[in-house]
Amino acid sequence: MLALFVALTLLAPAHSRSEGKSSFSLDEAGRVAISIQLSDADLPELCNVDFTVPDRTRAEAELSRCLEQGLAGWLRLNGDGHPCPVAYLRWRPRERTITVEAEARCAAMPRQLVLDWGLFAGGALDNVSVALLEQPHAKPRMVLLSKRSSRFVLEVARPWWPLAVGAGALLLLA
């Protein structure tokens, strides 16, 4: 009986749920600054990297290579029907977490920004990221991104002052 319990314990997934944070900050030029915070315990599922090994140098190099090759496929942004290519920049270690930094560039500030979240989509880990979406002319939005909720469409607000100037010009002409 004890052997069966030990065998089942070894077969059970040790890490099946996780939570993280992310942020997407759109500027007026159509650039999106991306930051994704992940637990060190999530890295074996995402990139087959283990930071619990004594010599982390090889694991850190593997993580950089994995993120450089995979991030643009896992995370896709689209502005007004056109791709906004995602470029991996770097990752930074923190206490028991890492922060992945990237950016996406749209041709111009879109009216609609579509975010497709595919991190951990092909694996068993149930990861949920609490995402902050910022844009220049509206309050930030908080959304949850996961396998079950992998797409978010952000309607990008436009500045109010061009409308006010236009209306003022019409009043002066009338």
Side-chain angles (χ1 to χ4, degrees):
M1 185 68 154
L2 179 61
L4 179 62
F5 175 78
V6 171
L8 290 175
T9 303
L10 292 174
L11 292 174
H15 182 69
S16 63
R17 302 198 68 176
S18 73
E19 293 181 9
K21 295 179 188 175
S22 55
S23 68
F24 301 85
S25 182
L26 174 67
D27 69 16
E28 297 223 16
R31 182 180 160 271
V32 183
I34 302 167
S35 176
I36 303 168
Q37 185 179 7
L38 300 168
S39 167
D40 286 354
D42 299 343
L43 300 179
E45 181 74 28
L46 184 65
C47 287
N48 199 25
V49 172
D50 184 3
F51 274 5
T52 62
V53 296
D55 180 16
R56 285 180 41 157
T57 306
R58 184 172 175 206
E60 290 174 354
E62 294 269 336
L63 178 61
S64 293
R65 186 171 30 263
C66 173
L67 292 170
E68 190 171 318
Q69 293 173 355
L71 189 62
W74 302 325
L75 181 63
R76 291 181 308 282
L77 280 80
N78 181 304
D80 297 332
H82 303 286
C84 303
V86 174
Y88 163 73
L89 299 174
R90 71 190 68 81
W91 66 271
R92 298 182 190 275
R94 304 187 109 196
E95 187 176 332
R96 293 189 296 256
T97 65
I98 66 159
T99 300
V100 178
E101 296 175 5
E103 71 176 12
R105 291 194 181 263
C106 301
M109 187 169 86
R111 292 189 177 278
Q112 187 178 73
L113 183 68
V114 179
L115 170 66
D116 286 309
W117 180 264
L119 275 78
F120 304 101
L125 184 64
D126 186 14
N127 174 271
V128 175
S129 183
V130 178
L132 176 68
L133 283 76
E134 299 175 294
Q135 57 176 306
H137 304 289
K139 291 182 181 180
R141 300 266 324 256
M142 297 285 288
V143 299
L144 295 177
L145 300 171
S146 67
K147 288 181 194 180
R148 284 181 242 128
S149 180
S150 63
R151 175 173 276 208
F152 184 77
V153 178
L154 176 68
E155 297 298 330
V156 179
R158 292 300 196 222
W160 60 268
W161 63 266
L163 294 173
V165 170
L170 285 175
L171 287 174
L172 287 175
L173 293 173

